[in-house]
Amino acid sequence: MSMIDTHPAVQRTPWGTGTPPDSVAPAKRRILETAIRLFYNDGIRSVGIDRLISESSVTKATFYKHYGSKDRLIVQYISQRHSLAQGIVDEIIRQHSDPRAALRGLIDQIVADVMSPGFRGCAFINAATEFTDPRHAVRQIVSEHREWYAETLSTLLNQLGHPLPGDGGDELVLARDGVMTGGYAGDPIAATTAFVRVADRVMDRSIR
C-alpha cells in the first residue's frame, strides 16, 4: 500500500470551509465532490480510482493532473470534511451570543445529522478505522479535528461557568462519538434521546 504524503501542504484543503468554490477547476471540484460522496457512503478503501474517474466524468489523465494519486485525494477528502465541520460550528456559534444557546445549537445540529437520510456515522471515526497507523496523515487530521472540537466545546462551557470545562468538553465529544455510532448501528431515536440527556447533565453543572 502506498503511503499518503504527510507534508503539511497536502493536509489542508485550499478551499476553506464548505464545498470547493466556483473558481476551482470544474473537473477538480467534481472529483472531490464525488470522493466526498463515495468515500463516506461506501468506505475509503473500497472505492477505486476507476470508479472515482467514472462517476466524476473525467479522464484518467485529468484525475492524475489534479490529484496525482488516490492517496492525495483521500487527504483532501478528510481535510475538506474538517473544513466543512468548522464552517458549520462557526456559523452556529456566530448566530448565538449566549454560550448556552450556542451549545444547544451544536447539540441540535448533531441530532439533526444523526436523524438525516443517508447518515453513515461519523466521517472521522470511519476514516480512523480504515487507517490504523496513528502517524498516518489521515489519522493526524482526525486527531486535530477532535482536539479542535473538544476545545471549542470547552471554551463554550468555560464561558458558561462550568467548573471543569475541559472535562466537560471531553464528555461531550465522547457522547457525540456514542450517538454517531449508536445512531447508525442501532436505533437513532434512542441514541439521540440518550445523547441529549448526557449533554443536558454536562451543561447543568455550569453556574450560569
Side-chain angles (χ1 to χ4, degrees):
M1 181 190 74
S2 61
M3 291 297 292
I4 291 178
D5 187 349
T6 58
H7 191 283
V10 299
Q11 290 189 30
R12 296 291 177 270
T13 172
W15 299 307
T17 60
T19 56
D22 293 337
S23 59
V24 175
K28 186 173 187 178
R29 175 190 178 99
R30 198 160 60 247
I31 292 167
L32 182 57
E33 290 176 342
T34 300
I36 289 171
R37 173 173 56 84
L38 294 180
F39 287 165
Y40 180 68
N41 288 341
D42 298 338
I44 296 171
R45 294 193 184 279
S46 67
V47 177
I49 288 179
D50 288 343
R51 186 180 176 194
L52 286 164
I53 290 170
S54 174
E55 297 203 23
S56 300
S57 299
V58 299
T59 65
K60 184 170 291 189
T62 297
F63 176 88
Y64 284 107
K65 171 188 173 184
H66 288 303
Y67 290 101
S69 68
K70 180 186 174 184
D71 288 345
R72 287 180 180 268
L73 178 59
I74 291 168
V75 173
Q76 291 289 353
Y77 157 73
I78 199 66
S79 294
Q80 187 71 4
R81 294 295 307 225
H82 174 57
S83 293
L84 178 58
Q86 282 186 313
I88 292 171
V89 169
D90 289 347
E91 179 61 19
I92 290 172
I93 294 174
R94 187 192 65 79
Q95 291 175 354
H96 301 91
S97 58
D98 174 67
R100 185 177 293 274
L103 282 165
R104 180 59 59 191
L106 294 175
I107 292 165
D108 290 344
Q109 178 62 47
I110 292 168
V111 171
D113 286 345
V114 173
M115 298 299 295
S116 64
F119 178 70
R120 296 290 183 270
C122 173
F124 300 95
I125 294 176
N126 293 348
T129 63
E130 296 198 57
F131 295 88
T132 58
D133 184 352
R135 299 167 298 177
H136 199 285
V138 168
R139 290 293 298 271
Q140 291 172 11
I141 298 169
V142 170
S143 294
E144 290 173 11
H145 169 80
R146 293 175 64 80
E147 289 172 6
W148 157 78
Y149 198 79
E151 184 177 346
T152 299
L153 295 173
S154 297
T155 297
L156 290 171
L157 288 170
N158 184 55
Q159 294 171 356
L160 197 58
H162 193 286
L164 296 169
D167 291 353
D170 290 342
E171 289 171 3
L172 288 178
V173 169
L174 289 176
R176 178 184 178 274
D177 290 346
V179 71
M180 289 282 185
T181 304
Y184 173 53
D187 181 350
I189 295 177
T192 52
T193 301
F195 168 67
V196 171
R197 285 199 304 268
V198 172
D200 285 343
R201 285 198 292 268
V202 171
M203 288 193 293
D204 286 345
R205 291 202 294 270
S206 302
I207 60 177
R208 28 176 216 277

